[in-house]
Amino acid sequence: MRKQRSPLSAKTNRKDPGSWGEHRWHSENVQVFPLKRDDFKNVQKIVDEFVLPGHLPASPMLTQQDTIVTIGSCFADDLRKALIQRKYQADIFWVPSGLNNTFALLDFVSWCISGAQTEQAYRYDRDSSGKINEWMPEEEQESYADHLKKAGAIVFTIGKL
């Protein structure tokens, strides 16, 4: 008696033109990464040829006239300085390190945009002794909202707790 093949094994038969092995939908339009170690000597060339194609917009999303707002603490400020060195317009919304987390930033940005306060998560920070202090933003809510409306991009940097 001849053993009957299951429908699954019939689909995986390499001679079948519709088989997984013959039809390579998952690799269509894929830029194959370099295989030789020497190809990695020029990292910028690797990025330009193998990483960026197909992932860049047709035209740049930002110009040097667009303002990029960074929100966070010291790293956001370092990023702002680096952008300015590269001739971009950049601004920063500084927040204390203890408030530089996703919950506090969400509350702070919500307040910036709407003026509504939730649990005031963005307003509290601890000093080195652990005492809770109330932090008030340096500018009025309307000023923050105006900055955000005019921004070409907003970058959040998250601090460690």
Side-chain angles (χ1 to χ4, degrees):
M1 180 174 190
R2 198 173 135 189
K3 187 176 178 183
Q4 204 172 22
R5 290 192 315 181
S6 74
L8 179 61
S9 65
K11 287 182 183 176
T12 59
N13 181 347
R14 286 201 174 266
K15 293 180 182 177
D16 177 2
S19 74
W20 177 266
E22 295 296 319
H23 182 67
R24 300 181 59 96
W25 62 268
H26 59 284
S27 63
E28 292 173 4
N29 300 319
V30 170
Q31 187 77 311
V32 179
F33 207 69
L35 301 175
K36 296 180 288 183
R37 182 175 286 232
D38 286 347
D39 291 336
F40 290 90
K41 288 181 179 174
N42 185 341
V43 174
Q44 187 61 53
K45 181 180 175 190
I46 294 291
V47 170
D48 292 344
E49 290 181 16
F50 297 98
V51 177
L52 297 179
H55 300 288
L56 294 175
S59 60
M61 295 174 64
L62 294 171
T63 68
Q64 290 182 321
Q65 288 70 43
D66 291 317
T67 298
I68 302 167
V69 173
T70 62
I71 300 177
S73 56
C74 60
F75 181 70
D77 192 39
D78 290 342
L79 178 58
R80 179 190 61 84
K81 290 173 185 172
L83 288 166
I84 290 170
Q85 283 179 341
R86 287 164 180 80
K87 308 292 187 229
Y88 283 90
Q89 305 295 317
D91 198 359
I92 185 171
F93 290 0
W94 180 88
V95 295
S97 296
L99 298 178
N100 196 11
N101 62 72
T102 56
F103 301 106
L105 288 176
L106 173 61
D107 197 39
F108 174 67
V109 171
S110 295
W111 171 80
C112 290
I113 294 169
S114 70
Q117 294 181 358
T118 59
E119 297 298 316
Q120 299 181 355
Y122 73 88
R123 295 183 59 189
Y124 295 93
D125 191 18
R126 293 185 185 267
D127 64 19
S128 59
S129 70
K131 179 182 169 202
I132 295 177
N133 296 317
E134 184 172 350
W135 172 75
M136 293 300 292
E138 296 171 1
E139 298 180 39
E140 296 294 323
Q141 179 269 331
E142 293 84 12
S143 175
Y144 284 105
D146 189 49
H147 277 44
L148 290 174
K149 286 177 190 172
K150 292 178 182 175
I154 302 169
V155 179
F156 294 92
T157 64
I158 307 299
K160 65 178 190 175
L161 296 174

